[in-house]
Amino acid sequence: MTAPQLPGTPVIEGDHLISTNPATGEEAGRVPLSTVVDVERTVERARTAGQWWAGLGFDGRRDRLLRWRRLLAQRMEQLAELVHAEGGKPVPDALVEIVTSVEHVDWAARNARRVLGHRRVRSRLILAEFSAHLEYQPYGVVGVIGPWNYPVFTPIGSAAYALAAGNAVVFKPSEYTPVVGQWLVDTFAEVVPEQPVFSTVHGLAEVGAALCRAGVDKLAFTGSTATAKKVMAACAESLTPVLIEAGGKDAMIVDVDADLDAAAEACVWGAMTNAGQTCIGIERVYVVEPAFDAFVDRVVERAGRLTVGPQDADVGPITMPSQLDVIRRHIADALERGGRAVLGGPDAVRPPYAHPTVLVDVPEDAAAVREETFGPTLTINRVGTADEALALANALPYGLGGSVFGRRRAVAIARRLRSGMASINSTLTFAGMSTLPFGGVGESGFGRIHGEDGLREFGRAKAVTRRRARSALPSTTFERTPADIARLVKAVKMLYGRKL
Ligand code: NAD
């Protein structure tokens, strides 16, 4: 047996992976470790299951997914306790995560037919003798690799949409939260007992790598940017398409006409919910100058009130023990470079906790501004104008979400943020809006989960044309005459060659 170095570190004992609580070290549960052969067999079984699942059609799948949604909703408290036991997340945060996930299962189930189902699309004049048909057919088997920070929301964001689209899913949960992953798959099997339509494989990095190479038809990855590059390289070997939901360093911009109380409240939640371990968490704030001091005072007052601890606290433990070093390094580096801690500071990291820390006037080249911290920390810097705020917010290779507080210019600023998502006068809210796509740009990834784009991500567009009349201007045949081509050229000049 390998003893855990710190509570929360996954333990491998024989052929089992043991998950432990990051605050107490208590075992949260154990799952069987998968070998490379297990991964291949699971994908093979999923292929057969996927054919059966696809054969149920949209209505059959909708009914099953809605029954799963019902189980999730009925057992929310049980699942939240498990999320808390395994990852240390405060139960209210876990409940909010589960509520959001239930909403996505519902939307994906109800909308898959409308978005993906067979439909006629308009013909154009030049091919008016053909009708046009479009549908999105399932890929077959989708591999889903997940992180630990939102162990319900992130897999469901891919899996529920992939399942609704008619795919089987093989899910490799993070080694830090395998028990929650297994719980999701087990409850799904209660409503779909016939075939392993949704199954798990468990283990460390090599099991994820094996899933990339096991013949899945698409791979949906959520995790760090560094791992995303390895996943993409592995999938490139077989030209397996990938969806990448990677890291972020989201900024919030506070304009001069913002409601500062509302901005501070949302900022503290956006930065410190789940102890700051949120891909779309607010990690840096740019405040247009006249509002700076008043905003910082409000943030410090609110963040200073947060409780930290294992139970019934606002901020729980850091789930992945190694992250504590990153948080410590970012704080130290910011202070060394001339930043100031107006809350927390060098002593904020007390394993397994990181206490709320607010850093101001941190140089833009500091790690705390440029790299993902993934802790309850925040940098707040002053800027002269909203344009300057935008330039700094957009200066990093990441581009996941973002937030804008203000009135007159807020929409324009949000549109100019180089990110896949933004929320105005709130933080993180786009994640729960199942009608909106979720995903990033640049080093935050590509492709989308959630919403119509999220459904289409898991279907191959199939385009069909059908002849409905003889061609008036035959061109795609060797039977055509020079006169046919001359008439075609004349028609196109009339249609498209005229002055606008
Ligand atoms: P990670 O990259 O360390 O691990 C993610 C998953 O990949 C785990 O299941 C891990 O076992 C697996 N893995 C590791 N090496 C692999 C390899 N070589 N091949 C295949 N799989 C491999 O990330 P993490 O620490 O679990 O999660 C935190 C990161 O996830 C943060 O960067 C966060 O921003 C990001 N995240 C992004 C989103 C999003 O939607 N964009 C959501 C949540 C988290």
Side-chain angles (χ1 to χ4, degrees):
M1 173 177 167
T2 320
Q5 291 168 329
L6 284 168
T9 309
V11 182
I12 290 179
E13 198 178 289
D15 52 6
H16 277 79
L17 176 65
I18 301 173
S19 170
T20 64
N21 179 282
T24 62
E26 268 172 56
E27 178 176 331
R30 54 183 67 203
V31 293
L33 267 177
S34 307
T35 62
V36 172
V37 173
D38 293 335
V39 175
E40 286 166 358
R41 291 210 179 118
T42 307
V43 171
E44 264 171 47
R45 282 195 295 271
R47 190 164 304 290
T48 313
Q51 284 159 5
W52 172 81
W53 179 245
L56 289 183
F58 287 109
D59 292 345
R61 294 194 296 267
R62 174 184 186 275
D63 289 350
R64 303 298 185 101
L65 282 164
L66 292 180
R67 272 189 261 157
W68 186 42
R69 179 217 61 191
R70 191 160 156 251
L71 276 192
L72 295 174
Q74 286 172 343
R75 298 183 194 166
M76 284 171 60
E77 292 89 348
Q78 182 198 355
L79 180 56
E81 287 297 338
L82 193 56
V83 170
H84 171 66
E86 187 167 51
K89 181 177 294 191
V91 171
D93 276 350
L95 285 168
V96 172
E97 175 183 353
I98 298 163
V99 166
T100 312
S101 310
V102 169
E103 161 65 24
H104 282 292
V105 176
D106 184 73
W107 192 87
R110 291 182 187 283
N111 288 278
R113 173 191 282 285
R114 177 180 64 79
V115 178
L116 305 175
H118 178 266
R119 66 192 159 99
R120 285 271 296 271
V121 295
R122 288 174 75 109
S123 301
R124 299 276 291 167
L125 203 54
I126 211 74
L127 283 173
E129 68 274 33
F130 296 94
S131 60
H133 307 253
L134 174 63
E135 67 180 306
Y136 292 83
Q137 298 179 340
Y139 278 89
V141 182
V142 171
V144 172
I145 298 179
W148 47 266
N149 62 336
Y150 286 84
V152 179
F153 172 79
T154 52
I156 280 183
S158 295
Y161 287 77
L163 290 164
N167 303 280
V169 170
V170 178
F171 170 37
K172 187 226 152 318
S174 165
E175 54 272 36
Y176 290 87
T177 52
V179 179
V180 169
Q182 192 59 48
W183 190 98
L184 293 175
V185 164
D186 290 345
T187 49
F188 185 83
E190 286 185 43
V191 296
V192 184
E194 297 92 337
Q195 296 269 352
V197 171
F198 186 21
S199 45
T200 41
V201 290
H202 290 292
L204 312 182
E206 59 272 17
V207 175
L211 183 57
C212 297
R213 296 189 169 97
V216 294
D217 301 291
K218 181 150 189 170
L219 197 291
F221 172 80
T222 307
S224 65
T225 302
T227 308
K229 292 176 185 174
K230 294 182 194 163
V231 164
M232 220 176 141
C235 288
E237 293 167 12
S238 52
L239 222 58
T240 301
V242 289
L243 158 71
I244 299 289
E245 298 287 351
K249 187 75 185 173
D250 287 359
M252 176 168 160
I253 294 176
V254 181
D255 204 0
V256 277
D257 54 359
D259 173 340
L260 294 187
D261 284 313
E265 182 203 326
C267 174
V268 170
W269 187 77
M272 300 190 185
T273 179
N274 194 25
Q277 305 166 108
T278 305
C279 55
I280 49 170
I282 299 299
E283 296 217 353
R284 50 201 179 114
V285 187
Y286 297 103
V287 187
V288 180
E289 182 49 291
F292 182 81
D293 288 333
F295 177 76
V296 170
D297 288 349
R298 285 164 168 79
V299 167
V300 168
E301 191 269 319
R302 283 182 162 81
R305 273 194 263 136
L306 299 182
T307 54
V308 182
Q311 292 287 350
D312 304 323
D314 299 311
V315 177
I318 296 302
T319 307
M320 195 167 65
S322 58
Q323 199 64 27
L324 289 159
D325 290 335
V326 176
I327 301 168
R328 200 183 279 115
R329 175 168 64 79
H330 284 194
I331 295 173
D333 175 68
L335 300 179
E336 268 164 33
R337 286 168 190 265
R340 289 182 295 121
V342 286
L343 181 73
D347 302 328
V349 178
R350 283 170 250 158
Y353 303 100
H355 289 251
T357 292
V358 179
L359 303 161
V360 297
D361 297 329
V362 182
E364 288 296 316
D365 60 356
V369 177
R370 299 195 64 81
E371 298 169 23
E372 198 175 45
T373 309
F374 241 49
T377 66
L378 196 56
T379 65
I380 311 180
N381 281 349
R382 64 187 91 220
V383 288
T385 63
D387 279 346
E388 190 188 336
L390 265 167
L392 293 172
N394 290 347
L396 298 188
Y398 288 124
L400 197 51
S403 165
V404 180
F405 267 79
R407 290 194 179 88
R408 202 170 54 80
R409 293 178 293 193
V411 173
I413 295 170
R415 291 183 64 204
R416 287 172 61 201
L417 266 179
R418 182 182 163 274
S419 67
M421 304 156 293
S423 33
I424 295 169
N425 295 336
S426 68
T427 49
L428 322 188
T429 39
F430 45 75
M433 192 73 82
S434 48
T435 46
L436 281 177
F438 183 104
V441 304
E443 296 220 346
S444 294
F446 52 81
R448 294 292 181 264
I449 54 172
H450 303 172
E452 296 190 2
D453 297 80
L455 281 169
R456 284 192 204 101
E457 191 73 44
F458 295 105
R460 291 188 176 110
K462 179 68 181 278
V464 174
T465 50
R466 181 178 181 183
R467 182 179 288 283
R468 56 183 174 186
R470 281 172 58 82
S471 297
L473 297 171
S475 59
T476 55
T477 166
F478 289 118
E479 308 294 313
R480 70 194 172 200
T481 63
D484 288 330
I485 293 295
R487 273 189 288 140
L488 181 68
V489 169
K490 193 172 168 192
V492 170
K493 284 194 171 164
M494 269 172 59
L495 274 174
Y496 303 126
R498 283 170 302 167
K499 207 171 156 193
L500 295 176

